[in-house]
Amino acid sequence: MPGCLQSKGVLIVAAMACTLGLAPPHCAAQTETAFDTVSGVVKDSLTGQPIERALVDAQNDAVLTDSEGRFELRLEEGVGSIQVRRPGYVVNRGASMRTFRVSENMKPLTFYLVPTASITGRVTVTNDGDADNVTFTAYRRRVMNGQERWMQAGAATTNGEGVFRIFELDAPGAYLLCSRAAEERLGRRGKAVFGYPSVCYPASPGDGAANVLNLGVGQQADVDIPIARQPFYQVNMIEQNSPQGQGMQIQIHDQSGMPIDFPVRWNQDRQTAEAQLPNGNYFAEARGWGNSILYARADFKVYNGPVSGVNLTLLPLTPVVVVIRKEFTASPDPAAMVESRVMNDVSSGLNLQLIPMDSMDGGGGQALRHSPGADANHFEMINVIPGRYWVQASYFFGGYVSAISSGGVDLTKDPLVVGPGSTTEPIEITLRNDTGEIDFTLNAPPAANQNAGEEASELSGAAVYAIPTGTRGVNLPRTGGFPGSLGRLPNLAPGAYRVVALDTFQNLDAMDALELAKLADRGKSVSVVAGGTVNVQLDVIKTSVEGQNP
């Protein structure tokens, strides 16, 4: 094409000529991009009714649905994706995001959005109080990479009538409501104040799986929560082992693990602290800063009177040693190839996280770094506070974690226990790279039944997952694919899997064991061997009609 590529100046002129239609046909072919119309409708998965003013976002084009829930976009031919959002409906669930092929004369797409749930709480107060300005947090029981946790899902504060409302809650789901202790009025220093203790509804987090508030899709729950007005009592704490002049922070937590907002008064000269609290179970955490980070925790109970003698003995946070062993049989080692080009490598390709078991206020793993003066396979995690942790590890340089333990404890099944001030047994991680792969072909779905009034849709992309039948790992392997095209799930640990293809993306890592097993039963069983490839043909499971996980 010499006529279009002679020089930079000629190129600009040629581009203008192509735009104005004055250039030869071969130039016009270079600049023209084919666009096609993509249309469809957005519906409520619960009622089937159209949703007005939903945002249909295709990145390069976006539009709001009309009064009948319909939309129309002009998109470039090829692989495209659309995400649909609307307040009052769940965001980033499978049915709100689709991948498809943009082509001429496409059939309409149908999106089903899942209505969110909400909670209206009415606080009733005994002992002649007014429960205004009390904050409630909704916690949802979630599975994070196979481990169950309580996660914050929303919060609201009571008004002058003791009413609060929490909106935009994912459903179906299991929830708890926990309040923060709240002061009614401030008293003089050293005197009791009045207020409200922390309470959880319908029960405390550790009271069993049945004691939860179960919310269905679109459900508007009304709950009544009793709170007793109580006096606050003085709590005196004594700090030990803190070098003079070192910075100090003390935080008190309630029974749910949430921090208490009441001030803690610290006396540097006397090395003491005091706070005002109502009846309840608490723990105090102290952190000191200086040449090293020190930590202390003390559990205590307030019951109808002042509390004294709460001792906070600061101890250094000892790094948790991590030893990585590479039992590689395939060559070359992908990590070594990358490490040779990356300066200051700190993780050897390993992603390691410590997930607190007993915390309801978030938290996660600390940075992984090389142990000073140790060999290249020794690392450490610093500033890990005492507690119980789920350990999650993954290797992203073309291999997998085959074993992870500490002091003989299998950390794929049992938690890591970090004691106060003591040295934790090293976390030993074994990596292997004798991976296999799954090659798959997706069958085309059956044609839509137009006589039954079912909306037809263009052939869409699918999300393909490999669900291990043994120990569940971190981040279930997944990829995308289109019917009629060959797809691949690479870098899989040898073992047995159930392979499923869904017509929409689903967050399987957040499914509990029963949900995941139910879905896995609909897939194909395969066995992956070291260095081998297994082929499988899959039917695409339709989930978008209901807008929910199957």
Side-chain angles (χ1 to χ4, degrees):
M1 308 272 288
C4 293
L5 301 175
Q6 291 178 359
S7 68
K8 182 177 180 181
V10 174
L11 181 61
I12 295 175
V13 173
M16 295 177 63
C18 289
T19 303
L20 297 174
L22 303 176
H26 60 258
C27 287
Q30 279 190 319
T31 60
E32 287 182 358
T33 301
F35 285 83
D36 293 309
T37 298
V38 178
S39 63
V41 64
V42 180
K43 295 183 177 182
D44 186 304
S45 70
L46 190 62
T47 66
Q49 295 299 309
I51 299 175
E52 182 181 5
R53 296 189 63 79
L55 176 62
V56 183
D57 187 358
Q59 297 183 342
N60 293 327
D61 195 7
V63 68
L64 295 175
T65 56
D66 62 17
S67 59
E68 297 181 348
R70 299 194 176 276
F71 66 89
E72 186 173 289
L73 300 166
R74 290 286 291 173
L75 302 181
E76 185 177 347
E77 285 189 352
V79 177
S81 64
I82 286 178
Q83 184 178 26
V84 181
R85 300 188 295 273
R86 178 72 162 85
Y89 293 87
V90 177
V91 177
N92 290 334
R93 289 287 293 271
S96 68
M97 186 181 299
R98 300 276 292 278
T99 301
F100 49 88
R101 291 191 188 278
V102 179
S103 59
E104 189 176 3
N105 299 321
M106 284 184 63
K107 296 177 181 178
L109 298 170
T110 302
F111 290 85
Y112 289 85
L113 297 187
V114 182
T116 59
S118 66
I119 298 173
T120 298
R122 295 176 178 84
V123 176
T124 57
V125 182
T126 60
N127 303 335
D128 300 323
D130 296 318
D132 60 336
N133 203 36
V134 178
T135 298
F136 280 83
T137 301
Y139 296 91
R140 185 186 182 196
R141 190 169 60 202
R142 298 295 302 270
V143 175
M144 299 297 291
N145 297 321
Q147 307 298 344
E148 191 174 271
R149 297 186 64 199
W150 288 103
M151 306 288 290
Q152 293 187 38
T157 301
T158 56
N159 58 22
E161 298 177 348
V163 176
F164 67 91
R165 293 181 175 89
I166 303 178
F167 301 98
E168 304 286 335
L169 297 174
D170 286 0
Y175 287 86
L176 290 178
L177 294 169
C178 292
S179 69
R180 290 192 179 188
E183 291 178 327
E184 181 183 69
R185 63 178 176 84
L186 291 173
R188 291 177 300 168
R189 179 168 180 171
K191 302 295 184 180
V193 296
F194 287 87
Y196 309 98
S198 173
V199 297
C200 287
Y201 177 91
S204 295
D207 287 348
N211 296 307
V212 296
L213 177 61
N214 290 300
L215 295 181
V217 172
Q219 181 179 351
Q220 316 301 312
D222 292 292
V223 299
D224 294 310
I225 303 175
I227 294 181
R229 177 177 179 268
Q230 295 183 9
F232 282 32
Y233 301 98
Q234 183 160 311
V235 176
N236 293 313
M237 293 164 279
I238 302 172
E239 187 281 316
Q240 301 178 9
N241 288 0
S242 176
Q244 287 293 327
Q246 178 168 290
M248 172 68 62
Q249 179 187 33
I250 297 177
Q251 177 68 64
I252 298 176
H253 299 258
D254 63 21
Q255 59 180 318
S256 67
M258 288 297 296
I260 298 293
D261 292 333
F262 306 152
V264 177
R265 292 179 290 272
W266 168 249
N267 188 312
Q268 177 69 36
D269 296 330
R270 298 168 56 186
Q271 298 289 287
T272 60
E274 61 183 41
Q276 301 271 359
L277 296 171
N279 287 342
N281 295 308
Y282 303 91
F283 64 90
E285 288 185 315
R287 288 176 172 84
W289 290 272
N291 295 329
S292 62
I293 296 181
L294 306 177
Y295 174 85
R297 169 173 168 154
D299 295 86
F300 61 94
K301 181 177 182 179
V302 177
Y303 183 70
N304 294 339
V307 178
S308 60
V310 177
N311 291 316
L312 293 167
T313 303
L314 288 167
L315 298 173
L317 292 177
T318 305
V320 177
V321 175
V322 179
V323 181
I324 299 176
R325 296 186 175 88
K326 296 181 179 180
E327 297 181 354
F328 286 168
T329 56
S331 181
D333 170 8
M337 297 173 62
V338 174
E339 288 171 9
S340 66
R341 300 192 302 268
V342 179
M343 296 179 62
N344 300 322
D345 171 67
V346 295
S347 66
S348 190
L350 183 72
N351 179 26
L352 184 63
Q353 286 188 309
L354 302 184
I355 308 299
M357 286 184 61
D358 306 313
S359 173
M360 295 182 69
D361 60 348
Q366 287 70 32
L368 191 65
R369 71 179 190 184
H370 277 298
S371 298
D375 62 41
N377 293 324
H378 281 70
F379 300 82
E380 62 184 19
M381 304 186 83
I382 60 174
N383 302 333
V384 180
I385 68 173
R388 299 186 303 163
Y389 297 88
W390 293 117
V391 180
Q392 297 183 344
S394 58
Y395 185 62
F396 49 84
F397 281 154
Y400 61 96
V401 177
S402 65
I404 179 168
S405 64
S406 174
V409 176
D410 185 351
L411 297 181
T412 64
K413 300 177 180 178
D414 298 309
L416 173 73
V417 178
V418 179
S422 62
T423 302
T424 303
E425 291 293 324
I427 298 175
E428 298 180 350
I429 299 175
T430 302
L431 304 177
R432 297 182 62 88
N433 67 347
D434 56 343
T435 60
E437 64 183 32
I438 298 173
D439 288 354
F440 60 86
T441 303
L442 302 180
N443 297 323
N449 186 355
Q450 297 294 329
N451 295 330
E454 182 177 347
E455 296 281 352
S457 63
E458 181 66 14
L459 201 61
S460 296
V464 182
Y465 302 82
I467 305 173
T469 59
T471 301
R472 182 170 173 175
V474 178
N475 299 326
L476 295 176
R478 73 166 186 259
T479 190
F482 284 91
S485 300
L486 181 66
R488 177 168 298 162
L489 284 161
N491 298 324
L492 298 177
Y497 294 85
R498 299 281 288 189
V499 188
V500 295
L502 309 180
D503 67 339
T504 58
F505 167 79
Q506 303 286 347
N507 186 8
L508 303 195
D509 292 307
M511 282 189 178
D512 62 30
L514 292 178
E515 286 182 304
L516 194 63
K518 182 179 178 181
L519 178 61
D521 287 342
R522 303 177 66 179
K524 292 287 185 69
S525 295
V526 299
S527 181
V528 176
V529 299
T533 300
V534 59
N535 295 279
V536 63
Q537 196 158 353
L538 303 171
D539 291 323
V540 179
I541 299 173
K542 194 170 183 61
T543 63
S544 58
V545 169
E546 300 299 330
Q548 302 176 49
N549 290 341

